[in-house]
Amino acid sequence: MTIPPGAHHTLSVLVENKAGVLARVASLFARRGYNIYSLAVAPTDDERFSRITIVIDVESAPLEQIVKQLFKLINVVKISELAPADSVERELMLVTARADGPTRGQVIELVQVFEGVIVDVGHDEITVMLSGVPTKLDDFEDLMRPYGIVQIQRTGRVALPRLDKSAPRLRAVGGKAG
């Protein structure tokens, strides 16, 4: 289920890539009583750092206070709030749904409409991978529910700032180098 637009904050937190850093960040939220809606973490292109994407709802957490508390953690390097209009957000979902003989074609058609990928097929079930904005995944989940969802797993949101559109555009150059 997605938080309505404007009802959440998405924070991109660059941290040192060391053991226990994620536990320190998560325990800070637990101690303060802030609810984490979504959390994703992965190393960056620089092996010294990891990026944690944290989605929190506006009502449970005053943003300024959260940012101040996060900066008190020694392993936090940089914090950016990613406004939905100024960022690209995606989630990944794996869903196993019933898809027996009569409904299998309908389920496959629905997967194609949402540009999903069928990653496993059984006699009566299909597992689908779908990525996109959280509302797209919510819509797919709603439409799959009548067929019978057996299992579902979502990754949590990841996000990066949108690229600067005012920068000069690169153009393709033909021919061989040399």
Side-chain angles (χ1 to χ4, degrees):
M1 187 169 136
T2 301
I3 298 173
H8 70 276
H9 299 291
T10 302
L11 295 178
S12 177
V13 183
L14 190 66
V15 297
E16 293 176 321
N17 190 8
K18 293 183 176 178
V21 172
L22 179 60
R24 280 186 219 108
V25 170
S27 68
L28 179 146
F29 279 78
R31 283 193 316 268
R32 300 289 177 181
Y34 303 146
N35 185 35
I36 297 174
Y37 177 75
S38 169
L39 179 73
V41 61
T44 65
D45 58 325
D46 185 338
E47 64 186 33
R48 297 174 301 158
F49 305 110
S50 291
R51 184 178 322 281
I52 303 174
T53 305
I54 306 169
V55 179
I56 45 182
D57 67 280
V58 171
E59 291 179 7
S60 78
L63 182 62
E64 186 178 328
Q65 190 174 1
I66 289 173
V67 170
K68 284 180 181 175
Q69 294 297 320
L70 281 171
F71 268 128
K72 288 182 180 177
L73 298 176
I74 193 164
N75 304 106
V76 172
V77 176
K78 182 179 178 185
I79 302 170
S80 305
E81 182 181 14
L82 300 173
D86 301 329
S87 62
V88 178
E89 299 178 339
R90 295 291 183 269
E91 268 188 54
L92 175 69
M93 177 171 69
L94 288 173
V95 58
T96 298
R98 296 197 202 308
D100 56 5
T103 61
R104 185 173 296 251
Q106 297 170 359
V107 171
I108 291 171
E109 207 170 285
L110 199 55
V111 170
Q112 291 170 341
V113 167
F114 278 82
E115 300 174 335
V117 176
I118 296 171
V119 293
D120 198 14
V121 177
H123 290 289
D124 299 325
E125 298 169 344
I126 290 177
T127 300
V128 175
M129 176 181 70
L130 189 71
S131 66
V133 295
T135 53
K136 174 184 174 182
L137 303 186
D138 292 342
D139 292 344
F140 183 75
E141 183 180 335
D142 287 345
L143 292 170
M144 290 298 291
R145 199 161 300 287
Y147 296 102
I149 292 176
V150 178
Q151 293 184 50
I152 189 164
Q153 177 67 50
R154 291 172 74 153
T155 60
R157 199 171 306 180
V158 293
L160 287 174
R162 286 198 179 275
L163 300 176
D164 181 10
K165 300 289 185 190
S166 63
R169 293 190 179 255
L170 297 176
R171 61 185 173 100
V173 178
K176 293 182 178 178

